[in-house]
Amino acid sequence: MKKVLILIVAVICLVGYSLCDLPVHCMPDKTPGEWSFQLTEQNLSKEQALEKCQLKAPLTPSRKFTVTLSTPTLAKDESGNEGNWHNVYDQGFELVIGGNKYFAFFEYAEQGRTIVSKCGNTFTGLYHEAAVGPKKWGCYKATKTSKVEPSVFSINEPVSASNEIVTANEINKLADTWTATDEYTEDYESKLVPLRRFKALIPDNKLAIPIPAAINKDLPSTVDWRNVSGVNYVSPVRNQASCGSCFSFASTAALEARINIASKNTKHVVLSPQDIVSCSPYSQGCNGGFPYLVFKYGEDFGLQTEECYTYEAADTKCTKDKCPGNKRNYVTDYQYIGGYVGGSNEQNIMEALTHGPVVLNFLVYADFTRYRGGIYIRKSTVIKGGHSVLGVGYGEENGQKYWIVKNSWGGDWGENGFFKIRRGADEAGIESMGPSFATPVI
Ligand SMILES: *[C@@H]1O[C@H](CO)[C@@H](O)[C@H](O)[C@H]1NC(C)=O
Ligand SMILES: *[C@@H]1O[C@H](CO)[C@@H](O)[C@H](O)[C@H]1NC(C)=O
């Protein structure tokens, strides 16, 4: 029974992350240029803003401004204010300027199997003062002042699950740094739901091995937040069950560990992934989302505790707190490692890890779900989806460098719920797909 459950979990997470975040695809190189922002008054409460600034809500702007975005992150508005912008992967962009913070998703249209991404327009988004727990909110839309050709891509044909036979036996013959098992993946292939847009995102799925960059900084040779002089700062492994919520489990796990670290293990909080799934306007519930936007939700709205908003692994309606008057857990200084998607590398991830666990994102290849132990190096070329997890450290063993990672597929998967993955070679995108972290307000 348990094994079947793990299997379902694995399938759903992959599907959720890759299939069902918004199907818009605007990579960061499309964003720089001059944008016109049209805004409503900044006189809404957050509750009013949640209601009025929904994705496709019509907008009656009362003012506007223009801002020029340059590569990689500098923003300058028409009054000469300087600020900071960056893409949230391919979904939208966030701008901080003139004391306010703005986020909206890029506009897109679905026509059958064709997605038209309008990378020079956003849907309706939210803005507010740049602060923890902002009070004054408004809605806005942004449009690039020069014309941007829409990007058109077709939804991929479903990836055939049978075009690569991957059994634990076959993997174990190829892999010399890790072992696979069939134990919890017996029916995996037959249960997979087809993915649709990965070919558009991934330029290369060959087994290329990039040359590792030299690490020229004085960093510890090993970091493991599960055992710092015998003390564990990582919260227990959880199981996301049948909901594409890996992004919320990875982010809450990062904050839980950082609360443990900041409080010297005197304060232990279990945060609520369900509140994020059900209530965040910045993600798509059990259909997926991005860890960076969970941190943003934590700064803007605060996070619930598990006790006050229990995990149900379902897209339930956002309800009122079960603990009236309880204090929400706020987040600050959320950031992409390196400052933007594409700015991360082995060294700055190692640096970030010396301060606490960080969220890592990567591509799940067909052999990954069979991981039982060791240092994962992919032997498959078939991408099944994307996944968000928690980096808790790094090390080296027999000349092979690795990251230590906490998964959210329960404690029976992998090495008691954890895995190791090759470090320094951008294995399955683990170093390049927007690793991020944030600071809990305690
Ligand atoms: C906000 O300002 C607009 C424009 O002045 C006004 O129509 C609206 O009623 C105000 N809303 C609130 C909640 O005060
Ligand atoms: C923690 O690490 C130390 C070495 O730093 C080791 O001796 C000890 O066995 C480890 N504890 C656990 C629980 O792994």
Side-chain angles (χ1 to χ4, degrees), residues 26-44:
C26 299
M27 287 313 269
D29 59 318
K30 290 229 158 65
T31 313
E34 189 185 71
W35 288 76
S36 167
F37 277 57
Q38 297 102 47
L39 311 101
T40 67
E41 285 306 316
Q42 194 170 354
N43 63 359
L44 303 175

Side-chain angles (χ1 to χ4, degrees), residues 21-22 58 80 87 111 115 175 187 283 312 316 322 325 359 375 410 415 424:
D21 40 285
L22 294 182
N87 258 42
Q111 297 158 359
I115 309 284
D187 285 339
S283 53
E312 293 176 86
T316 50
K322 278 186 215 152
V359 171
I375 301 168
E415 297 181 340

Side-chain angles (χ1 to χ4, degrees), residues 85-105:
W85 75 277
H86 52 76
N87 258 42
V88 176
Y89 216 72
D90 58 351
Q91 303 274 290
F93 71 90
E94 190 180 51
L95 169 69
V96 185
I97 202 161
N100 277 330
K101 199 173 247 195
Y102 305 79
F103 176 75
F105 289 103

Side-chain angles (χ1 to χ4, degrees), residues 9-58:
V9 168
V11 171
I12 302 296
C13 184
L14 304 188
V15 170
Y17 190 87
S18 56
L19 179 65
C20 307
D21 40 285
L22 294 182
V24 68
H25 181 50
C26 299
M27 287 313 269
D29 59 318
K30 290 229 158 65
T31 313
E34 189 185 71
W35 288 76
S36 167
F37 277 57
Q38 297 102 47
L39 311 101
T40 67
E41 285 306 316
Q42 194 170 354
N43 63 359
L44 303 175
S45 67
K46 71 177 179 211
E47 291 79 12
Q48 291 169 325
L50 277 175
E51 197 191 311
K52 297 208 160 142
C53 315
Q54 289 180 25
L55 205 69
K56 293 182 184 174

Side-chain angles (χ1 to χ4, degrees), residues 210-370:
I211 297 161
I215 299 300
N216 51 20
K217 265 250 185 143
D218 243 357
L219 288 163
S221 60
T222 306
V223 168
D224 187 351
W225 287 102
R226 299 171 304 176
N227 181 0
V228 182
S229 311
V231 180
N232 171 35
Y233 292 97
V234 178
S235 54
V237 169
R238 295 188 65 179
N239 195 329
Q240 66 189 83
S242 304
C243 169
S245 52
C246 44
F247 68 98
S248 61
F249 276 88
S251 317
T252 52
L255 295 166
E256 288 164 0
R258 282 172 179 255
I259 290 170
N260 291 342
I261 293 166
S263 72
K264 301 195 161 59
N265 256 351
T266 59
K267 185 181 175 186
H268 303 286
V269 179
V270 184
L271 295 169
S272 165
Q274 188 61 51
D275 170 58
I276 297 157
V277 165
S278 294
C279 303
S280 173
Y282 305 136
S283 53
Q284 291 77 47
C286 283
N287 293 328
F290 287 79
Y292 183 88
L293 294 176
V294 174
F295 294 142
K296 179 177 175 63
Y297 177 64
E299 179 172 277
D300 293 355
F301 295 90
L303 300 175
Q304 248 331 336
T305 58
E306 179 66 19
E307 190 186 12
C308 296
Y309 214 121
T310 313
Y311 192 56
E312 293 176 86
D315 270 316
T316 50
K317 197 167 177 293
C318 182
T319 58
K320 288 254 184 304
D321 302 356
K322 278 186 215 152
C323 312
N326 74 315
K327 206 172 126 284
R328 295 180 76 99
N329 294 268
Y330 283 91
V331 170
T332 187
D333 280 337
Y334 56 94
Q335 57 197 276
Y336 282 115
I337 294 175
Y340 54 95
V341 174
S344 58
N345 54 45
E346 179 190 7
Q347 177 163 312
N348 59 21
I349 298 169
M350 287 167 72
E351 274 164 12
L353 269 169
T354 63
H355 302 290
V358 303
V359 171
L360 303 173
N361 309 294
F362 70 110
L363 296 170
V364 170
Y365 285 80
D367 56 359
F368 178 77
T369 49
R370 287 175 167 77

